[in-house]
Amino acid sequence: MSLILAALLLAPQASASDKLPPANPIPLADADTRDVIAPVNAFLAAIAASDPKAIAAVVRPDGGAIYAVENPDGTRSITRRSWAEVAARFAPGGDRFEERISDPAIESDGDVAMVWAPYVFRVNGKVQHCGVDHFDLIREGGTWKIANASWSSRTTGCDAQ
């Protein structure tokens, strides 16, 4: 057996949990991490306030959202929306929306960052769906903006948060 093959066989194998960065502890440990999560929190607050202008204030207009829906019957779909389409969904005068994230993994390198967190989405106080949010952020001129967001969505296994 060659030394290279032996080294490969003895090397530790990465597990699925090794693929994600470790979550930063809450409360957030440093100012940069707090700055990264701030536009995500503002985005979720804007959804709760039914405020499309507040949504637009924390996103890059050239970005958007992609979500992957897992239906109870096992079918799946992927949908892409511009930020304008997302904001229009939360116009005032309709249902009351609330999205809560928990245990965010927050990582940054220079002017690029990401937030990954489980969430529960409620409409008029009732759980509608849950999944995991993933926000890509860019810092421009010292300000973090959400460039893109993607999330999974399912109606089963939604623990209340």
Side-chain angles (χ1 to χ4, degrees):
M1 177 179 329
S2 74
L3 287 176
I4 293 173
L5 181 57
L8 288 173
L9 291 174
L10 295 174
Q13 299 298 312
S15 68
S17 64
D18 294 336
K19 293 180 183 179
L20 291 177
N24 286 304
I26 301 295
L28 301 174
D30 61 52
D32 192 46
T33 301
R34 286 189 302 273
D35 290 346
V36 168
I37 195 80
V40 172
N41 289 336
F43 178 81
L44 299 175
I47 288 172
S50 297
D51 189 345
K53 288 183 183 178
I55 290 172
V58 295
V59 300
R60 285 184 47 95
D62 57 345
I66 298 175
Y67 50 98
V69 176
E70 179 183 322
N71 297 304
D73 67 1
T75 60
R76 297 171 184 260
S77 63
I78 305 292
T79 303
R80 177 160 189 342
R81 298 280 186 249
S82 68
W83 284 128
E85 291 170 313
V86 170
R89 170 73 173 102
F90 300 107
D95 292 320
R96 188 173 39 91
F97 303 103
E98 178 187 21
E99 182 170 345
R100 287 189 192 165
I101 62 172
S102 61
D103 303 319
I106 304 164
E107 296 296 329
S108 64
D109 182 44
D111 294 326
V112 176
M114 72 113 213
V115 174
W116 173 280
Y119 76 90
V120 173
F121 191 88
R122 290 176 174 79
V123 177
N124 299 320
K126 183 178 177 188
V127 173
Q128 184 185 57
H129 64 273
C130 62
V132 173
D133 283 335
H134 172 249
F135 295 93
D136 292 320
L137 297 99
I138 298 292
R139 182 170 46 196
E140 294 179 294
T143 301
W144 287 102
K145 295 277 188 166
I146 299 170
N148 295 290
S150 55
W151 60 88
S152 59
S153 175
R154 62 185 170 279
T155 57
T156 58
C158 298
D159 296 329
Q161 291 182 359

